Amino acid sequence: MSSLPAAETVDGGRPWKLYSVVAALGFLASFLGSWQPSFWEDEVATISAATRPFADLPALFSTIDLSHGLYYLVIHLWTGVAGLSETALRFPSAVAAAAACAGMVALARRFVALPAAVAAGLILAVLPRVTWAGSEARSAALSLLLAVLATLLLTSVWKRPRPGILVAYGVLAVLGTLLFFPFALLLPAHLLATALCARRRLVRVGVVVVVSCLVTAPFLWAVSRQSAQADWIGRRSLTDTLANILLKQYFYGNDRPTGNTPPAWILASVGLLALLLAGLAVVGLWTALRPAPGAENATGSRSLAVLGLCWILVPSLGLGLVSLAVKPIYEPRYLTFTAPGLALLAALGLAHLHRVKAVPALLAAVLILVTATVPQLSLKSFVNVPHDRLRDIAVLVDQTPGVQGVVYGRPENRQASMAYPQDFTGVKDLSLASSPADSGTLWGVNRRVPASELHGTVLYVGDGGQQPSQAGAFAQAGCRQVRVIDAQRLHFAEFRCP
């Protein structure tokens, strides 16, 4: 298996038009409907960071979210041109997902026939984890793109280790890690794949990986100092953890908003998609590693299967081991950049099925498309839409006449005002002691609101299932509660004060 694969020799030609078609389909899969969901918590963190001056960002990164710092810098520049709507903020992610799908075709085509390479790009395009990443204002889609580009360069090194290609690979390795730290786990996956597929290039690739790790080591150490912000991961139940590993890592996205569990018929589709793609991946891996005598391009298929398997297993096991030995940090979306590995293996399985019999392969392709589309109905808020999203809170405030001010139970509860500031025009934040920018935090710092400042119509926004944290101030001011909405994620109360 250590023989060098025949990279860039399959099918010949440069089908850029086909790459463009796959990219367009990948873009549409992510972008269509991306304006439908309300902003959710993590996206508001993007807004909080991206809307403050550059000079204020170091203070934020010194306390929290250094791991997202490069992404925030990119989005800061983008929002200055495109604005802060859901569509504008999510557009770069859809473009990144589209480019990753086209890159997948180019990568797979170096090893296998063009139909199988196109299948890999299209499977990646419709994979729910990818369409989720391509429709949210976070760094996962960009991380995915950098992973595909870095792997393309790696396979170029396998064939011809030119200095320029090695330097470019190292630059992408550093950028990917700076964009989001779990990307660093892709580098040992690349080393293992190189050892198994192109052993003669192992020293060169190893040197670049070591240098990249040394360059990013101070960043990774600084990120580890902020690990407390991931404490919420350790509070998951065993059932939730298993669901994340078996289903959400590739076959679903993340609930928007958090905890919005999809209905049973969507979960059934997710389960069927998982069985189908996992089954194809097993078939692809088995037939590539144990090819039939006289099988066409056995070396290329075997190299691609090894690359795909390393791409999935090494980062996943690495993050799992860190979670078990050091601190729970396993979160499915952190491994979005490993999704191409599954797409490669599933495409190999689909190609084998097509060689055996075309009709079952066509049926499998249709089932993949259908079962991958169904989860998008929930992920993009066409069905299963709760009424306590951040957009709903903003509408409640906007539709309440004569609001003088809002009291927030926790700093995080002001996320709706940060995501939809136009609905809070003229409404004073009575809880604010220090703004997010001034305090070097994402949500600002709260204070206890004195009763003397409660006049007219005052709203309270807090966590669901909890009474107002400053009920004493409302009582002391003689306020009368005239409306209350208590939902899973929201406690909303309207008070009339003298």
Side-chain angles (χ1 to χ4, degrees):
M1 194 179 294
S2 61
S3 59
L4 188 66
E8 300 180 301
T9 62
V10 180
D11 284 320
R14 293 180 179 274
W16 299 111
K17 290 183 179 179
L18 188 56
Y19 294 170
S20 299
V21 170
V22 173
L25 293 174
F27 175 79
L28 292 175
S30 290
F31 183 71
L32 289 180
S34 62
W35 52 83
Q36 181 78 5
S38 165
F39 282 126
W40 72 295
E41 300 95 309
D42 281 21
E43 290 181 306
V44 185
T46 298
I47 294 172
S48 175
T51 53
R52 67 187 71 193
F54 268 122
D56 291 337
L57 288 173
L60 174 68
F61 298 153
S62 68
T63 60
I64 195 171
D65 265 7
L66 175 63
S67 59
H68 300 289
L70 180 58
Y71 176 72
Y72 290 160
L73 293 174
V74 172
I75 295 300
H76 180 96
L77 297 173
W78 169 251
T79 56
V81 176
L84 291 165
S85 68
E86 285 103 337
T87 303
L89 271 175
R90 292 165 179 164
F91 182 82
S93 294
V95 172
C101 294
M104 276 295 292
V105 180
L107 173 63
R109 187 172 172 269
R110 293 182 170 185
F111 300 90
V112 294
L114 187 58
V118 172
L122 293 178
I123 289 172
L124 187 69
V126 300
L127 204 60
R129 173 51 60 191
V130 174
T131 55
W132 158 268
S135 61
E136 71 153 358
R138 297 297 277 175
S139 62
L142 289 175
S143 179
L144 171 72
L145 174 59
L146 290 183
V148 171
L149 294 178
T151 308
L152 265 169
L153 289 175
L154 174 73
T155 57
S156 295
V157 171
W158 287 0
K159 181 183 180 183
R160 194 175 294 111
R162 294 172 177 170
I165 297 176
L166 286 165
V167 170
Y169 173 71
V171 169
L172 283 183
V174 170
L175 285 177
T177 303
L178 294 179
L179 184 68
F180 196 39
F181 71 93
F183 186 96
L185 295 169
L186 181 63
L187 305 185
H190 281 175
L191 276 179
L192 179 58
T194 302
L196 295 173
C197 297
R199 192 173 302 161
R200 289 181 296 165
R201 313 305 188 200
L202 183 59
V203 172
R204 289 181 175 88
V205 174
V207 168
V208 176
V209 167
V210 169
V211 171
S212 301
C213 290
L214 291 174
V215 170
T216 56
F219 168 78
L220 294 172
W221 177 82
V223 167
S224 71
R225 304 273 291 180
Q226 297 180 358
S227 62
Q229 71 182 85
D231 285 348
W232 58 274
I233 295 177
R235 295 192 288 270
R236 284 199 181 118
S237 67
L238 178 60
T239 302
D240 287 342
T241 300
L242 290 175
N244 282 327
I245 294 171
L246 298 176
L247 295 178
K248 285 191 174 183
Q249 184 162 320
Y250 298 123
F251 311 112
Y252 193 63
N254 284 67
D255 304 318
R256 269 193 284 216
T258 301
N260 187 40
T261 305
W265 59 276
I266 287 182
L267 290 176
S269 181
V270 170
L272 181 57
L273 176 65
L275 290 173
L276 183 59
L277 285 178
L280 286 174
V282 170
V283 170
L285 184 64
W286 179 262
T287 56
L289 297 182
R290 300 175 65 89
E296 183 181 350
N297 193 33
T299 301
S301 296
R302 184 167 60 243
S303 297
L304 195 62
V306 170
L307 179 61
L309 187 63
C310 293
W311 204 335
I312 294 172
L313 288 184
V314 175
S316 299
L317 291 175
L319 199 63
L321 288 174
V322 171
S323 296
L324 289 173
V326 183
K327 180 185 180 66
I329 59 170
Y330 173 79
E331 162 60 31
R333 65 179 184 270
Y334 293 177
L335 292 168
T336 300
F337 69 90
T338 68
L342 176 66
L344 290 176
L345 294 179
L348 287 173
L350 193 62
H352 173 77
L353 189 60
H354 185 268
R355 287 193 296 270
V356 173
K357 205 150 191 177
V359 173
L362 179 61
L363 179 60
V366 172
L367 279 174
I368 291 171
L369 178 62
V370 172
T371 55
T373 300
V374 169
Q376 290 213 44
L377 297 176
S378 178
L379 293 173
K380 292 184 177 176
S381 298
F382 289 102
V383 301
N384 191 41
V385 183
H387 300 292
D388 54 0
R389 304 168 300 166
L390 297 180
R391 186 188 292 163
D392 299 317
I393 298 171
V395 169
L396 282 172
V397 173
D398 183 55
Q399 293 181 349
T400 302
V403 179
Q404 303 297 310
V406 181
V407 175
Y408 295 104
R410 297 185 301 125
E412 291 83 351
N413 297 134
R414 63 171 50 86
Q415 290 172 356
S417 67
M418 301 171 73
Y420 303 98
Q422 68 276 9
D423 292 320
F424 289 76
T425 302
V427 178
K428 186 177 181 181
D429 185 343
L430 298 174
S431 299
L432 189 64
S434 181
S435 70
D438 290 340
S439 61
T441 64
L442 288 172
W443 320 120
V445 176
N446 273 10
R447 61 167 186 150
R448 294 199 64 82
V449 181
S452 59
E453 295 185 15
L454 298 174
H455 303 288
T457 299
V458 178
L459 303 179
Y460 175 85
V461 176
D463 295 330
Q466 298 184 15
Q467 294 301 309
S469 59
Q470 301 196 42
F474 284 105
Q476 184 180 350
C479 302
R480 179 171 54 92
Q481 182 173 288
V482 297
R483 180 171 53 146
V484 63
I485 298 173
D486 193 48
Q488 180 181 349
R489 286 163 289 270
L490 169 68
H491 185 91
F492 178 92
E494 179 183 350
F495 291 89
R496 299 285 169 78
C497 304

